[in-house]
Amino acid sequence: MGVHEQFEAEGGVATRTDDPWITIVWNDPVNLMSYVTHVFQSYFGLPRHEAEARMREVHEHGRSVLSTGPREKMEVDVQAMHSYGLWATLQRSGE
Amino acid sequence: MRGFEARGADAVATLDDEERLVVARIVADVAGLLGADAFGFDNEEYPSSTLTEVDDPFEHLRGLEESIREPSDPAILRLLPNAAPTDREAADEFRRLTDGELRSGKIRRLRRIWEALSSGGDEWVVPADEALATAAALTDVRLVLASRLGLTTDDDADRLHQEIDLATHALETDDERTLSIDPERVWLGMLYQALTWLQESLVQYMAGASEETDV
């Protein structure tokens, strides 16, 4: 889980406002709420209540921004989400 | 069928012969869609996918510099979605960098399930460190079934449940004439529901396991 550790190490950087890319997770009718929460906890290292809040945002508002940072890092995060079967995209944060 | 329950550190579900065969078959079919060789030694029993449209498995090995086409089958596209719908360059680069790794990772997890279900015995034992990979593979199978069933919104999913309930009731009461039942759709829908239920039980097991380690 090198990716995960790397994310933890870069946690401070990930919220910098001048970082131009974001990872968005989108709602879909297939993924279970419990599963999405578990993936957010285990990949992004979120505490359970925070992971649940993000999952609800996805479910009720259709999308949630899960990470912010350099494009290469967002590619890693989106790839991880696709590997878990979640529907994720990346884009410049200003778009 | 009995859903996953904790036994020691493992998660254990119980499936009879027919249930194991059906799940193993769909798992192999989804791997076939992703470009895997047929699972198992007996290729007669598991011919290449019945869900059709096998993408070229070696596509990602032929010149990494070339761009990789977006899958034309909506089910495969859901497993390997467009990562940047508003940015062609970013979407192409993402697919070029990740397509091979995502496919092989998904195929590896599906193969693991197929092996577990093909080894005989009613019990499907998933060690703790394979639980998330197994849940992820079940997601991939459900995504393919959902695509074939045309489930694109939460309402579609709710309607499927009603449809299956009605069809089951009609079949039980021998009232098939009054309903236009598509047996294949009902069968796929029931398989989708069974896998959803199995996956939910596995995720509950994982939630319980992580609570224990938190203490």
Side-chain angles (χ1 to χ4, degrees):
Chain A
M1 277 308 205
V3 167
H4 187 178
E5 285 156 17
Q6 188 189 349
F7 182 78
E8 297 267 272
E10 289 174 1
V13 179
T15 50
R16 257 169 45 190
T17 49
D18 58 343
D19 282 326
W21 290 76
I22 53 176
T23 297
I24 302 171
V25 172
W26 301 82
N27 188 39
D28 72 72
V30 175
N31 271 301
L32 303 169
M33 293 195 270
S34 56
Y35 175 70
V36 173
T37 302
H38 192 89
V39 168
F40 287 174
Q41 278 181 274
S42 96
Y43 180 76
F44 291 107
L46 298 174
R48 186 175 179 87
H49 64 95
E50 178 69 21
E52 268 175 8
R54 295 309 182 86
M55 176 279 290
R56 294 215 171 276
E57 196 181 353
V58 171
H59 189 63
E60 286 159 21
H61 302 289
R63 52 174 266 176
S64 178
V65 175
L66 264 298
S67 62
T68 307
R71 176 172 166 179
E72 292 72 23
K73 182 64 183 67
M74 298 303 98
E75 286 174 341
V76 171
D77 288 353
V78 170
Q79 180 178 358
M81 291 303 102
H82 290 187
S83 130
Y84 289 119
L86 271 55
W87 180 23
T89 60
L90 68 157
Q91 65 186 51
R92 287 182 198 281
S93 59
E95 283 174 10
Chain B
M1 191 185 291
R2 266 214 348 248
F4 285 101
E5 287 169 10
R7 191 173 70 199
D10 300 334
V12 183
T14 310
L15 280 71
D16 67 26
D17 288 352
E18 194 187 336
E19 290 160 348
R20 276 204 314 282
L21 192 67
V22 167
V23 177
R25 180 67 189 261
I26 190 73
V27 160
D29 278 353
V30 170
L33 283 178
L34 287 164
D37 292 333
F39 287 175
F41 302 107
D42 185 358
N43 289 356
E44 291 289 302
E45 200 181 340
Y46 292 93
S48 63
S49 174
T50 54
L51 295 168
T52 69
E53 187 150 0
V54 179
D55 280 13
D56 179 357
F58 298 110
E59 190 167 79
H60 67 273
L61 297 176
R62 267 201 316 267
L64 286 170
E65 298 310 310
E66 288 173 35
S67 67
I68 296 174
R69 270 179 297 120
E70 188 164 288
S72 53
D73 181 338
I76 309 174
L77 185 58
R78 183 55 192 84
L79 297 186
L80 303 163
N82 185 323
T86 58
D87 185 338
R88 177 72 187 272
E89 185 271 326
D92 285 352
E93 174 177 295
F94 180 85
R95 198 169 290 284
R96 186 173 60 79
L97 291 172
T98 65
D99 188 271
E101 208 176 316
L102 279 169
R103 280 179 196 259
S104 56
K106 286 173 184 290
I107 289 169
R108 202 162 46 238
R109 298 185 311 211
L110 290 163
R111 184 184 295 278
R112 190 73 195 87
I113 294 184
W114 187 87
E115 286 167 354
L117 292 172
S118 304
S119 61
D122 284 357
E123 290 191 339
W124 178 5
V125 179
V126 176
D129 62 357
E130 289 179 23
L132 184 53
T134 302
L138 287 173
T139 295
D140 286 337
V141 175
R142 293 176 56 244
L143 286 168
V144 168
L145 289 172
S147 173
R148 294 291 185 257
L149 287 161
L151 309 184
T152 53
T153 67
D154 289 341
D155 286 347
D156 292 337
D158 291 341
R159 267 196 296 275
L160 177 74
H161 294 306
Q162 291 166 14
E163 198 183 325
I164 303 292
D165 285 348
L166 277 173
T168 316
H169 184 255
L171 292 169
E172 276 167 5
T173 55
D174 223 10
D175 198 17
E176 294 160 63
R177 290 150 290 128
T178 59
L179 276 167
S180 56
I181 293 173
D182 173 355
E184 193 186 337
R185 182 176 166 78
V186 170
W187 190 84
L188 280 182
M190 290 174 79
L191 179 55
Y192 176 80
Q193 287 184 326
L195 292 176
T196 301
W197 179 77
L198 261 182
Q199 190 191 9
E200 182 70 60
S201 69
L202 184 58
V203 177
Q204 292 310 321
Y205 152 85
M206 291 193 295
S210 63
E211 261 165 40
E212 270 172 38
T213 54
D214 283 347
V215 173

